[in-house]
Amino acid sequence: MKNSLKQQAQLLLTRDGLFTAAQHLVPQQKISEVAGRLAASKNPLIKKTFVKTFAKAYGITLEEYARKDLADFKSFNDFFTRELDVDARPIDNTDQGVISPADGMISQIGHIQQGQILQAKGRDYSVSHLLADTENKDGNYYEGGSFATVYLAPSNYHRVHMPFDGTLIETRYVPGTLFSVNNVTAQNVPDLFARNERLVCVFDTEFGKACVVLVGAMIVAGIETVATGKIERSEQIQTLEHNIRLKKGDELGRFYLGSTAIVVLPKSAGTEWTQDMKHGSVVQMGQLLGVATKA
């Protein structure tokens, strides 16, 4: 016990520890609400200032996007969720291939063991908790399955697409905290993805039931899907039923700032991830992550 407390104290005195501690102290929801209002503003001065400053800070150019001029965007949100140019992201056509749902970086990728998903080295979290499954039915169902966590940096394309063919049967909004999502918080905040606000999208597929989870973060002003529109935040879980067929590569949703997309596949998919996909791998939407060998 003494060693544990000593380790916590030592962590707190590091730069990463101070950053993590600050996450608990700041008013996460209020900051995100204010950021959301500013990001949605169509006031020319606010829009121009935000868009130009952000584009310069993150080195964003528009060669790959449908609109080529920063002045063409109606608000910062419009800029942040900018659409790609036609054919800017070819969709891998490998038979039974599972593609990256977004541009970004592989945070972690692997298999679900004892109901746990790897968050960072030495730190796991419950798949049932992630999916807001209070009866642990999903935890049992996904045992031995697979997952891929894709982190979207601020400079990335921020729409999320289908990693496989499937019928959207349910969306489940889960209220939660809004910790920043990055390597530091992944390593230091327990159950980060299962604590943050998120939207669980559940699909019927040819290899069983699968999920794509859109995880919010600090200053994420909202999550939207093609089935729900922009989600209205609440203190309760919101569950909706759907029957929408989507093909691999179709747009599923988008983030208004932030964050992370997690693909969860059942054991029945027999997913084999490609050898070059690992922590830190940079990926683009449509790129092959692995193959569902039992589909």
Side-chain angles (χ1 to χ4, degrees), residues 151-179:
Y151 164 68
L152 289 72
S155 59
N156 287 135
Y157 167 65
H158 265 73
R159 299 192 187 193
V160 178
H161 293 247
M162 288 291 293
F164 41 68
D165 294 341
T167 299
L168 179 64
I169 58 172
E170 183 179 307
T171 53
R172 192 180 305 152
Y173 166 77
V174 187
T177 55
L178 289 171
F179 288 103

Side-chain angles (χ1 to χ4, degrees), residues 29-43:
Q29 293 284 352
K30 182 57 65 177
I31 289 174
S32 296
E33 288 173 9
V34 171
R37 288 196 293 270
L38 291 172
S41 174
K42 295 182 179 179
N43 177 286

